[in-house]
Amino acid sequence: MFKKILIANRGEIALRIIWACRELGVRTVAVHSEADADSLHVKFADEEVCIGPARATESYLNISAIISAAEITGAEAIHPGYGFLAESAHFAEVCHACNLKFIGPDPEVIRMMGDKARARAAMDAAHVATVPGSGLVDTEEEAESAAEKIGYPLLIKATAGGGGKGLRLVTSRQELRRFLPQVKAEAGAAFSSDAVYLEKYLVGTRHVEFQVFGDEHGNLVHMGERECSIQRRHQKLLEESPSPALDDVLRARMAAAALKAANAVGYANAGTVEFLLDKNKDFYFIEMNTRIQVEHPVTEGVTGIDLVKEQLQVAAGEKLSMKQSDIVMHGHAMECRVNAEDPVTFRPCPGRITAFHVPGGPGLRVDTAAHADCLVSPYYDSMIAKVISRGNNRAEAISRMRRALESFIIEGIKTTIPAQLRILTDPDFIAGNFDTGFMTRYQDKPATPPGEASDSDRTAVPAV
Amino acid sequence: MFKKILIANRGEIALRIIWACRELGVRTVAVHSEADADSLHVKFADEEVCIGPARATESYLNISAIISAAEITGAEAIHPGYGFLAESAHFAEVCHACNLKFIGPDPEVIRMMGDKARARAAMDAAHVATVPGSGLVDTEEEAESAAEKIGYPLLIKATAGGGGKGLRLVTSRQELRRFLPQVKAEAGAAFSSDAVYLEKYLVGTRHVEFQVFGDEHGNLVHMGERECSIQRRHQKLLEESPSPALDDVLRARMAAAALKAANAVGYANAGTVEFLLDKNKDFYFIEMNTRIQVEHPVTEGVTGIDLVKEQLQVAAGEKLSMKQSDIVMHGHAMECRVNAEDPVTFRPCPGRITAFHVPGGPGLRVDTAAHADCLVSPYYDSMIAKVISRGNNRAEAISRMRRALESFIIEGIKTTIPAQLRILTDPDFIAGNFDTGFMTRYQDKPATPPGEASDSDRTAVPAV
Amino acid sequence: MPLSLKEIHDLIERISRSDFSCFELDHDGTKLKLERRSDGAMQIVAPVGAAPAAVAVPVAVTAPGAAPVNPVPVQAAPAPAEDLHEVKSPIVGTFYRSPSPKADVFVETGSRIKAGQTLCIVEAMKLMNEIECDVDGEIVDILIANGQPVEYGEVLFRLRINAA
Amino acid sequence: MPLSLKEIHDLIERISRSDFSCFELDHDGTKLKLERRSDGAMQIVAPVGAAPAAVAVPVAVTAPGAAPVNPVPVQAAPAPAEDLHEVKSPIVGTFYRSPSPKADVFVETGSRIKAGQTLCIVEAMKLMNEIECDVDGEIVDILIANGQPVEYGEVLFRLRINAA
């Protein structure tokens, strides 16, 4: 095992990694911007290095500063968390070039999965179904002929897109013509690549993802699914496991596909294979996230496995601590992301938290770096806490989550708790009848098409 | 199920009961003394009634005020928590006489188990082994002749004793003569009964207790054991399940004895059968606690059962929600009681908490009614929080507890956290090699004999 | 220099969390006065100087999920003038103004009372407990309606004590 | 009236959480001065008046489990007098006072410096970054030893700026 690692992140995930390190006896180095000097991840780490000013591009995305911090503190490995540099193949390569172990998969796997067209090609080769779509389309003519084959409605998608950007729903040839150049221009500006392709737009689908885990000795397991269909404009609001939509047969089929996808690229460490599941129980690969997810505690809740400790052990060259047959799911787990946002408009509401009291009692977990009298910074993500409930069945997990959110005291700022409570009392949600369009009932008009991959925990990585 | 219940308690257990009620959709009435008007159990209950001044005898032990509070608010049942009136047969009888369901076993069972001599007689009749001892001894002559049969060392014990009072270790006839009148006088003053008996003093024993649960339809199950040998002067400091001392065969034997004990008295609701376990794997019934225990979360951690919800359901006349075969233990759970006490002298240190930040992350639970800027009152128990860790094995539970206590920020008062951390790093503790004498290594001289029943969560009940 | 808006917010927050019933500050151009009403809510009485109008709202000191505070109309429960005497309930129970449903009430507003005279009954566990007055005086307020529950320590009556 | 112990504790707590480097109070018989050393710990320099001796210990602003603070002797890092100019590290790396192990140092205490002159090197990712002075002045303090790591924003030098 490593003696010391650096955590290239902030907030609750940085703390989460510190907890795992402490349980394994690994020393920790926190890095922080000037805005985060008083943050809990700084207080609880064994060492800390200020790496730049508040702006993320000059601190948490500043590869040179992070590598230097690892070098001056003698860290052996870097855990990137989620967001920031977690899915930067370039960063992973620089780590390895500097003799620092990047705690995650191989840089080449990160690069392939970050390129939607290449990922799709890899899945086609591995016989994992993807959403019907085209190859890259450049001209209007290519696009139109590809669209005829797929059928409308369809999506124009930028290869490098994410977070709802570089994505457009079109329902006719006229709209295709009108929006193709627009999406290309947008993508070119945002991602420095204007490559786009077309994809069938599926209606009434669910977002169901599988947690997979590989080691560097060729072992690979899955840890069941997470249901993530409760999204608002591609932001996940609530995740749970198991999915109310899966039975044992479908679960086994989807798990087999997830393992096939991960196997095809020789995947090591924690990863997530995301699928769209339609009403006919057909499912399509949409993407693979090559990092720990925000919602990993849901899987920890039903399996009892500590995913971050497993990440560290696997990165240190150990074998997976369990076989597939050791992994048994118990009960039901659910996560609500509490964001410092207006619960109606979902606009970020940074500010100072004046009172903060987290709920306790059985079957509850709260991961947070917030505390009384702390400042929710306008510079970073608005998520201030994750509440995870566990029950012997879905009804118990829901009632537990409800009383947890009702008794979570956060004063001084607005949070999404009222919105979450509305979801938790919705009869369709309680019955398990929902798809990715669920949240549109609570908003006037969706700005982007509902559905599929949420990228809230993936931050665009600037070329460094 | 009840529509509304009253909670005749304060602090973390009152909150714990509120959480269970909220999950079941039961409305709650908090009662409180004038000193507790700003307490969290008052804030989170649906209704609240001030029942008296700070002194417990005039508020939380004031039966007439509590019954009146139930009547004016229309509560249907009363949950007594632990301590205060939880083991008052008289209170349970008054509840029933006033058409209020007492959430606990039958008053007659409480009375019998509260009288050590009667409890012992009931166990003898049911063929459950008790510690070798005498019947009531009144005169010096009776005592000496009984002592010859049992052999020294032995304990003089008051029938009504508890909390380390009315208890004396004697090693010779001379000591017996000297201390017999003293214990009788003490007991007469403290418990209004001076009846005493003699009991063999066992060396190197462990305190192992079994959680049992019965309903009013004759069903009875056990939920495994809790190891509670880490005590200081009869105060439990740390509890865990499973016990490092038990194998499957011994567990099955002890569980059978616990069920026999509970069956003998037709036990309904949650109860705990306490045993002393010696080095020869012989075990002896010492007492039965007829209430929810402080350390019940340890059992919740390994079984996934919500014991307080089960208490409410059973009291409402429902059948137990599980059969014995449904109860499966997973992993290892451990509880540390965090008290507002000096970690060396264990003297209570009430005062104002200036900063309070509870640890989060996987496998942790913190039950507390404390918060930043709250006053730890000198009027009541010094326990301010319970930290419960859960791991896939004992080593993981220990490492998790350690990092939890290291990152639990409590400023403004002294707590027992440093003492708990010393236990958690002790090689004998880590190896599972300990008995009830364990804590004597950390104190100069024990004032009372180490060992056996801890009654820290039983408060002496004055005659009302 | 007068206090900033932030400083005033901080003061209000701090005082709200305290148990002060009144807070006054006169500091370089800012005058601020906070008074707590008997139901626990704070009222900003006189924010002057740098304090903008936006802060002049009652700050309810309640946690989410707590029972809603019933604001007591100011007319119904005026703050006691300094010479009013309060009679509080010594027990939890139900308040009755007369010995039986059809009987006359023990006292009315304006009644002149002698120490030892019965003011009301509080029923607890089927027992009728007569509550006696501990002073000579005149009833100014009767704060509880007939048949309503009362807590320990709840104010039942206010009296103007007879001048010596 | 001098401040109470509690009030002083509160002040210390408050200032500890702030980023002020110095705090002085002269209030009706209480004089209190707090200075923050460059390692982030607060030192109580002169508690007088109502402050009892018990509080006159350094208040380390660290959470349990955090790395121990290495107290820097006061002589090594005196608080800057008001006219001293600070040169901070613009990057994370290792601080070197000379271009190579055997070469002379770039500057010494007392050296007179022109704006644009190299003061030191900070090595980051094998690159030697020369740190130049942004003012004309005289070196008063060199705060980092040769070969030691530096954070972003850490003060490297203090200079007395030349009078115009």
Side-chain angles (χ1 to χ4, degrees), chain A residues 70-85:
Chain A
E71 286 178 343
I72 65 173
T73 54
E76 296 156 79
I78 297 187
H79 196 306
Y82 54 70
F84 294 128
L85 296 166

Side-chain angles (χ1 to χ4, degrees), chain A residues 318-337:
Chain A
E318 295 177 25
K319 289 189 180 172
L320 277 178
S321 68
M322 82 292 288
K323 298 187 298 294
Q324 188 66 59
S325 58
D326 299 329
I327 303 171
V328 189
M329 320 285 166
H330 297 289
H332 198 100
M334 190 169 280
E335 174 184 274
C336 282
R337 303 184 185 194

Side-chain angles (χ1 to χ4, degrees), chain A residues 22 27 32 34 38 42-53 58 63-69 71-73 94 98 373, chain D residues 14 16-19 39 61-68 88 90-94 123-126 148-154:
Chain A
R22 287 204 173 194
R27 288 179 63 81
H32 65 91
E34 288 183 318
D38 293 329
V42 176
K43 290 202 193 297
F44 284 121
D46 295 303
E47 297 174 51
E48 49 101 353
V49 179
C50 179
I51 52 167
E58 295 174 49
I63 291 181
S64 146
I66 291 167
I67 299 284
S68 294
E71 286 178 343
I72 65 173
T73 54
V94 173
C98 295
D373 203 35
Chain D
R14 211 167 289 279
S16 287
R17 274 187 273 135
S18 79
D19 56 2
D39 59 357
V61 190
T62 52
K88 296 178 181 177
I91 54 172
V92 180
T94 306
E123 179 196 347
M125 295 186 76
K126 319 290 173 220
Q148 289 302 301
V150 292
E151 296 184 291
Y152 172 86
E154 196 161 354

